[in-house]
PDB file of all heavy atoms in Angstrom:
ATOM      1  N   ALA A 424     -88.457 177.002 -34.668  1.00 95.00           N
ATOM      2  CA  ALA A 424     -87.593 177.252 -35.823  1.00 95.00           C
ATOM      3  C   ALA A 424     -87.328 175.988 -36.630  1.00 95.00           C
ATOM      4  O   ALA A 424     -86.977 176.069 -37.808  1.00 95.00           O
ATOM      5  CB  ALA A 424     -86.271 177.863 -35.368  1.00 95.00           C
ATOM      6  N   GLY A 425     -87.495 174.824 -36.018  1.00 95.00           N
ATOM      7  CA  GLY A 425     -87.216 173.571 -36.719  1.00 95.00           C
ATOM      8  C   GLY A 425     -88.365 173.043 -37.539  1.00 95.00           C
ATOM      9  O   GLY A 425     -88.180 172.105 -38.336  1.00 95.00           O
ATOM     10  N   ILE A 426     -89.558 173.617 -37.402  1.00 94.00           N
ATOM     11  CA  ILE A 426     -90.734 173.064 -38.080  1.00 94.00           C
ATOM     12  C   ILE A 426     -90.605 173.140 -39.595  1.00 94.00           C
ATOM     13  O   ILE A 426     -90.698 172.121 -40.306  1.00 94.00           O
ATOM     14  CB  ILE A 426     -92.014 173.791 -37.608  1.00 94.00           C
ATOM     15  CG1 ILE A 426     -92.270 173.501 -36.123  1.00 94.00           C
ATOM     16  CG2 ILE A 426     -93.218 173.340 -38.446  1.00 94.00           C
ATOM     17  CD1 ILE A 426     -93.432 174.288 -35.533  1.00 94.00           C
ATOM     18  N   ILE A 427     -90.396 174.340 -40.133  1.00 96.00           N
ATOM     19  CA  ILE A 427     -90.331 174.502 -41.600  1.00 96.00           C
ATOM     20  C   ILE A 427     -89.105 173.789 -42.183  1.00 96.00           C
ATOM     21  O   ILE A 427     -89.234 173.100 -43.211  1.00 96.00           O
ATOM     22  CB  ILE A 427     -90.353 175.995 -41.982  1.00 96.00           C
ATOM     23  CG1 ILE A 427     -91.699 176.615 -41.580  1.00 96.00           C
ATOM     24  CG2 ILE A 427     -90.133 176.161 -43.479  1.00 96.00           C
ATOM     25  CD1 ILE A 427     -91.828 178.090 -41.906  1.00 96.00           C
ATOM     26  N   PRO A 428     -87.900 173.914 -41.594  1.00 96.00           N
ATOM     27  CA  PRO A 428     -86.773 173.141 -42.137  1.00 96.00           C
ATOM     28  C   PRO A 428     -87.038 171.637 -42.193  1.00 96.00           C
ATOM     29  O   PRO A 428     -86.677 170.973 -43.166  1.00 96.00           O
ATOM     30  CB  PRO A 428     -85.625 173.466 -41.177  1.00 96.00           C
ATOM     31  CG  PRO A 428     -85.945 174.833 -40.670  1.00 96.00           C
ATOM     32  CD  PRO A 428     -87.442 174.848 -40.537  1.00 96.00           C
ATOM     33  N   GLY A 429     -87.686 171.089 -41.147  1.00 95.00           N
ATOM     34  CA  GLY A 429     -87.992 169.661 -41.144  1.00 95.00           C
ATOM     35  C   GLY A 429     -88.954 169.280 -42.257  1.00 95.00           C
ATOM     36  O   GLY A 429     -88.770 168.267 -42.944  1.00 95.00           O
ATOM     37  N   ILE A 430     -89.978 170.108 -42.442  1.00 95.00           N
ATOM     38  CA  ILE A 430     -90.935 169.856 -43.528  1.00 95.00           C
ATOM     39  C   ILE A 430     -90.244 169.977 -44.882  1.00 95.00           C
ATOM     40  O   ILE A 430     -90.501 169.193 -45.807  1.00 95.00           O
ATOM     41  CB  ILE A 430     -92.124 170.831 -43.428  1.00 95.00           C
ATOM     42  CG1 ILE A 430     -92.942 170.536 -42.161  1.00 95.00           C
ATOM     43  CG2 ILE A 430     -93.008 170.751 -44.665  1.00 95.00           C
ATOM     44  CD1 ILE A 430     -94.032 171.561 -41.884  1.00 95.00           C
ATOM     45  N   LEU A 431     -89.339 170.945 -44.991  1.00 96.00           N
ATOM     46  CA  LEU A 431     -88.616 171.162 -46.245  1.00 96.00           C
ATOM     47  C   LEU A 431     -87.746 169.948 -46.593  1.00 96.00           C
ATOM     48  O   LEU A 431     -87.669 169.540 -47.767  1.00 96.00           O
ATOM     49  CB  LEU A 431     -87.752 172.419 -46.131  1.00 96.00           C
ATOM     50  CG  LEU A 431     -87.344 173.134 -47.423  1.00 96.00           C
ATOM     51  CD1 LEU A 431     -88.549 173.518 -48.240  1.00 96.00           C
ATOM     52  CD2 LEU A 431     -86.517 174.372 -47.092  1.00 96.00           C
ATOM     53  N   VAL A 432     -87.090 169.367 -45.612  1.00 96.00           N
ATOM     54  CA  VAL A 432     -86.305 168.152 -45.846  1.00 96.00           C
ATOM     55  C   VAL A 432     -87.213 167.031 -46.346  1.00 96.00           C
ATOM     56  O   VAL A 432     -86.889 166.326 -47.315  1.00 96.00           O
ATOM     57  CB  VAL A 432     -85.556 167.713 -44.570  1.00 96.00           C
ATOM     58  CG1 VAL A 432     -84.907 166.339 -44.775  1.00 96.00           C
ATOM     59  CG2 VAL A 432     -84.497 168.729 -44.192  1.00 96.00           C
ATOM     60  N   GLY A 433     -88.368 166.864 -45.699  1.00 95.00           N
ATOM     61  CA  GLY A 433     -89.301 165.819 -46.108  1.00 95.00           C
ATOM     62  C   GLY A 433     -89.802 166.012 -47.528  1.00 95.00           C
ATOM     63  O   GLY A 433     -89.835 165.062 -48.326  1.00 95.00           O
ATOM     64  N   LEU A 434     -90.192 167.230 -47.871  1.00 96.00           N
ATOM     65  CA  LEU A 434     -90.676 167.506 -49.234  1.00 96.00           C
ATOM     66  C   LEU A 434     -89.571 167.297 -50.263  1.00 96.00           C
ATOM     67  O   LEU A 434     -89.825 166.799 -51.371  1.00 96.00           O
ATOM     68  CB  LEU A 434     -91.224 168.936 -49.312  1.00 96.00           C
ATOM     69  CG  LEU A 434     -92.478 169.232 -48.485  1.00 96.00           C
ATOM     70  CD1 LEU A 434     -92.879 170.705 -48.607  1.00 96.00           C
ATOM     71  CD2 LEU A 434     -93.639 168.331 -48.920  1.00 96.00           C
ATOM     72  N   GLY A 435     -88.340 167.685 -49.909  1.00 96.00           N
ATOM     73  CA  GLY A 435     -87.217 167.477 -50.819  1.00 96.00           C
ATOM     74  C   GLY A 435     -86.974 165.999 -51.091  1.00 96.00           C
ATOM     75  O   GLY A 435     -86.729 165.588 -52.241  1.00 96.00           O
ATOM     76  N   LEU A 436     -87.054 165.171 -50.045  1.00 96.00           N
ATOM     77  CA  LEU A 436     -86.880 163.731 -50.219  1.00 96.00           C
ATOM     78  C   LEU A 436     -88.005 163.138 -51.069  1.00 96.00           C
ATOM     79  O   LEU A 436     -87.769 162.257 -51.910  1.00 96.00           O
ATOM     80  CB  LEU A 436     -86.832 163.038 -48.852  1.00 96.00           C
ATOM     81  CG  LEU A 436     -85.605 163.337 -47.982  1.00 96.00           C
ATOM     82  CD1 LEU A 436     -85.743 162.663 -46.622  1.00 96.00           C
ATOM     83  CD2 LEU A 436     -84.326 162.881 -48.664  1.00 96.00           C
ATOM     84  N   MET A 437     -89.231 163.632 -50.859  1.00 94.00           N
ATOM     85  CA  MET A 437     -90.352 163.147 -51.678  1.00 94.00           C
ATOM     86  C   MET A 437     -90.176 163.521 -53.144  1.00 94.00           C
ATOM     87  O   MET A 437     -90.507 162.739 -54.041  1.00 94.00           O
ATOM     88  CB  MET A 437     -91.671 163.723 -51.144  1.00 94.00           C
ATOM     89  CG  MET A 437     -92.141 163.110 -49.853  1.00 94.00           C
ATOM     90  SD  MET A 437     -93.718 163.806 -49.333  1.00 94.00           S
ATOM     91  CE  MET A 437     -93.980 162.919 -47.800  1.00 94.00           C
ATOM     92  N   LEU A 438     -89.650 164.711 -53.398  1.00 95.00           N
ATOM     93  CA  LEU A 438     -89.392 165.125 -54.780  1.00 95.00           C
ATOM     94  C   LEU A 438     -88.358 164.208 -55.424  1.00 95.00           C
ATOM     95  O   LEU A 438     -88.511 163.785 -56.585  1.00 95.00           O
ATOM     96  CB  LEU A 438     -88.909 166.574 -54.814  1.00 95.00           C
ATOM     97  CG  LEU A 438     -88.528 167.139 -56.196  1.00 95.00           C
ATOM     98  CD1 LEU A 438     -89.724 167.086 -57.147  1.00 95.00           C
ATOM     99  CD2 LEU A 438     -88.012 168.571 -56.062  1.00 95.00           C
ATOM    100  N   MET A 439     -87.300 163.868 -54.697  1.00 95.00           N
ATOM    101  CA  MET A 439     -86.294 162.948 -55.227  1.00 95.00           C
ATOM    102  C   MET A 439     -86.887 161.564 -55.480  1.00 95.00           C
ATOM    103  O   MET A 439     -86.589 160.921 -56.499  1.00 95.00           O
ATOM    104  CB  MET A 439     -85.109 162.858 -54.257  1.00 95.00           C
ATOM    105  CG  MET A 439     -84.008 161.892 -54.691  1.00 95.00           C
ATOM    106  SD  MET A 439     -83.327 162.239 -56.333  1.00 95.00           S
ATOM    107  CE  MET A 439     -82.425 163.767 -56.006  1.00 95.00           C
ATOM    108  N   VAL A 440     -87.731 161.096 -54.565  1.00 93.00           N
ATOM    109  CA  VAL A 440     -88.410 159.809 -54.767  1.00 93.00           C
ATOM    110  C   VAL A 440     -89.253 159.850 -56.039  1.00 93.00           C
ATOM    111  O   VAL A 440     -89.266 158.896 -56.830  1.00 93.00           O
ATOM    112  CB  VAL A 440     -89.284 159.455 -53.549  1.00 93.00           C
ATOM    113  CG1 VAL A 440     -90.215 158.283 -53.863  1.00 93.00           C
ATOM    114  CG2 VAL A 440     -88.416 159.106 -52.348  1.00 93.00           C
ATOM    115  N   LYS A 441     -89.968 160.960 -56.255  1.00 91.00           N
ATOM    116  CA  LYS A 441     -90.795 161.112 -57.456  1.00 91.00           C
ATOM    117  C   LYS A 441     -89.944 161.031 -58.720  1.00 91.00           C
ATOM    118  O   LYS A 441     -90.297 160.334 -59.689  1.00 91.00           O
ATOM    119  CB  LYS A 441     -91.516 162.468 -57.391  1.00 91.00           C
ATOM    120  CG  LYS A 441     -92.302 162.856 -58.654  1.00 91.00           C
ATOM    121  CD  LYS A 441     -93.514 161.970 -58.837  1.00 91.00           C
ATOM    122  CE  LYS A 441     -94.458 162.509 -59.923  1.00 91.00           C
ATOM    123  NZ  LYS A 441     -93.850 162.613 -61.251  1.00 91.00           N
ATOM    124  N   LEU A 442     -88.811 161.721 -58.730  1.00 92.00           N
ATOM    125  CA  LEU A 442     -87.936 161.692 -59.903  1.00 92.00           C
ATOM    126  C   LEU A 442     -87.380 160.290 -60.138  1.00 92.00           C
ATOM    127  O   LEU A 442     -87.329 159.816 -61.280  1.00 92.00           O
ATOM    128  CB  LEU A 442     -86.782 162.688 -59.709  1.00 92.00           C
ATOM    129  CG  LEU A 442     -87.172 164.175 -59.617  1.00 92.00           C
ATOM    130  CD1 LEU A 442     -85.945 165.026 -59.294  1.00 92.00           C
ATOM    131  CD2 LEU A 442     -87.822 164.642 -60.917  1.00 92.00           C
ATOM    132  N   MET A 443     -86.982 159.614 -59.066  1.00 91.00           N
ATOM    133  CA  MET A 443     -86.441 158.262 -59.198  1.00 91.00           C
ATOM    134  C   MET A 443     -87.532 157.263 -59.577  1.00 91.00           C
ATOM    135  O   MET A 443     -87.281 156.316 -60.330  1.00 91.00           O
ATOM    136  CB  MET A 443     -85.760 157.850 -57.892  1.00 91.00           C
ATOM    137  CG  MET A 443     -84.539 158.696 -57.537  1.00 91.00           C
ATOM    138  SD  MET A 443     -83.761 158.212 -55.967  1.00 91.00           S
ATOM    139  CE  MET A 443     -83.000 156.659 -56.427  1.00 91.00           C
ATOM    140  N   ALA A 444     -88.749 157.486 -59.070  1.00 87.00           N
ATOM    141  CA  ALA A 444     -89.854 156.575 -59.380  1.00 87.00           C
ATOM    142  C   ALA A 444     -90.190 156.604 -60.858  1.00 87.00           C
ATOM    143  O   ALA A 444     -90.464 155.564 -61.482  1.00 87.00           O
ATOM    144  CB  ALA A 444     -91.082 156.943 -58.547  1.00 87.00           C
ATOM    145  N   ASP A 445     -90.182 157.801 -61.454  1.00 81.00           N
ATOM    146  CA  ASP A 445     -90.468 157.923 -62.888  1.00 81.00           C
ATOM    147  C   ASP A 445     -89.351 157.304 -63.720  1.00 81.00           C
ATOM    148  O   ASP A 445     -89.604 156.683 -64.756  1.00 81.00           O
ATOM    149  CB  ASP A 445     -90.647 159.400 -63.264  1.00 81.00           C
ATOM    150  CG  ASP A 445     -91.903 160.008 -62.643  1.00 81.00           C
ATOM    151  OD1 ASP A 445     -92.811 159.232 -62.291  1.00 81.00           O
ATOM    152  OD2 ASP A 445     -91.966 161.239 -62.508  1.00 81.00           O
ATOM    153  N   LYS A 446     -88.095 157.470 -63.263  1.00 83.00           N
ATOM    154  CA  LYS A 446     -86.956 156.982 -64.036  1.00 83.00           C
ATOM    155  C   LYS A 446     -86.812 155.467 -63.936  1.00 83.00           C
ATOM    156  O   LYS A 446     -86.525 154.787 -64.942  1.00 83.00           O
ATOM    157  CB  LYS A 446     -85.676 157.663 -63.549  1.00 83.00           C
ATOM    158  CG  LYS A 446     -84.429 157.256 -64.337  1.00 83.00           C
ATOM    159  CD  LYS A 446     -83.198 158.031 -63.850  1.00 83.00           C
ATOM    160  CE  LYS A 446     -81.955 157.631 -64.651  1.00 83.00           C
ATOM    161  NZ  LYS A 446     -80.747 158.372 -64.197  1.00 83.00           N
ATOM    162  N   TYR A 447     -87.000 154.909 -62.737  1.00 78.00           N
ATOM    163  CA  TYR A 447     -86.758 153.481 -62.519  1.00 78.00           C
ATOM    164  C   TYR A 447     -88.038 152.661 -62.419  1.00 78.00           C
ATOM    165  O   TYR A 447     -87.989 151.470 -62.090  1.00 78.00           O
ATOM    166  CB  TYR A 447     -85.922 153.287 -61.248  1.00 78.00           C
ATOM    167  CG  TYR A 447     -84.574 153.943 -61.317  1.00 78.00           C
ATOM    168  CD1 TYR A 447     -84.267 155.055 -60.537  1.00 78.00           C
ATOM    169  CD2 TYR A 447     -83.586 153.467 -62.181  1.00 78.00           C
ATOM    170  CE1 TYR A 447     -83.022 155.669 -60.594  1.00 78.00           C
ATOM    171  CE2 TYR A 447     -82.336 154.065 -62.244  1.00 78.00           C
ATOM    172  CZ  TYR A 447     -82.064 155.169 -61.461  1.00 78.00           C
ATOM    173  OH  TYR A 447     -80.827 155.777 -61.529  1.00 78.00           O
ATOM    174  N   ASP A 448     -89.181 153.305 -62.704  1.00 76.00           N
ATOM    175  CA  ASP A 448     -90.473 152.603 -62.744  1.00 76.00           C
ATOM    176  C   ASP A 448     -90.757 151.881 -61.421  1.00 76.00           C
ATOM    177  O   ASP A 448     -91.005 150.669 -61.387  1.00 76.00           O
ATOM    178  CB  ASP A 448     -90.497 151.614 -63.911  1.00 76.00           C
ATOM    179  CG  ASP A 448     -91.916 151.144 -64.237  1.00 76.00           C
ATOM    180  OD1 ASP A 448     -92.864 151.908 -63.964  1.00 76.00           O
ATOM    181  OD2 ASP A 448     -92.072 150.018 -64.753  1.00 76.00           O
ATOM    182  N   PHE A 449     -90.723 152.638 -60.333  1.00 80.00           N
ATOM    183  CA  PHE A 449     -91.032 152.066 -59.018  1.00 80.00           C
ATOM    184  C   PHE A 449     -92.470 151.555 -58.987  1.00 80.00           C
ATOM    185  O   PHE A 449     -93.345 152.080 -59.685  1.00 80.00           O
ATOM    186  CB  PHE A 449     -90.851 153.117 -57.928  1.00 80.00           C
ATOM    187  CG  PHE A 449     -89.412 153.412 -57.585  1.00 80.00           C
ATOM    188  CD1 PHE A 449     -89.093 154.416 -56.695  1.00 80.00           C
ATOM    189  CD2 PHE A 449     -88.381 152.681 -58.142  1.00 80.00           C
ATOM    190  CE1 PHE A 449     -87.770 154.698 -56.374  1.00 80.00           C
ATOM    191  CE2 PHE A 449     -87.053 152.943 -57.828  1.00 80.00           C
ATOM    192  CZ  PHE A 449     -86.757 153.961 -56.950  1.00 80.00           C
ATOM    193  N   PRO A 450     -92.746 150.569 -58.135  1.00 74.00           N
ATOM    194  CA  PRO A 450     -94.121 150.046 -58.053  1.00 74.00           C
ATOM    195  C   PRO A 450     -95.068 151.006 -57.335  1.00 74.00           C
ATOM    196  O   PRO A 450     -94.641 151.857 -56.551  1.00 74.00           O
ATOM    197  CB  PRO A 450     -93.943 148.758 -57.232  1.00 74.00           C
ATOM    198  CG  PRO A 450     -92.706 148.995 -56.429  1.00 74.00           C
ATOM    199  CD  PRO A 450     -91.807 149.831 -57.284  1.00 74.00           C
ATOM    200  N   VAL A 451     -96.354 150.854 -57.615  1.00 70.00           N
ATOM    201  CA  VAL A 451     -97.395 151.572 -56.886  1.00 70.00           C
ATOM    202  C   VAL A 451     -97.718 150.756 -55.643  1.00 70.00           C
ATOM    203  O   VAL A 451     -97.935 149.544 -55.719  1.00 70.00           O
ATOM    204  CB  VAL A 451     -98.661 151.758 -57.746  1.00 70.00           C
ATOM    205  CG1 VAL A 451     -99.754 152.456 -56.959  1.00 70.00           C
ATOM    206  CG2 VAL A 451     -98.318 152.542 -59.008  1.00 70.00           C
TER     207      VAL A 451
END
Side-chain angles (χ1 to χ4, degrees):
I426 294 174
I427 295 180
I430 293 173
L431 203 56
V432 172
L434 294 178
L436 292 176
M437 287 182 181
L438 177 60
M439 178 56 70
V440 168
K441 173 69 169 60
L442 296 175
M443 296 179 72
D445 293 338
K446 182 177 181 180
Y447 299 111
D448 196 27
F449 285 175
V451 178

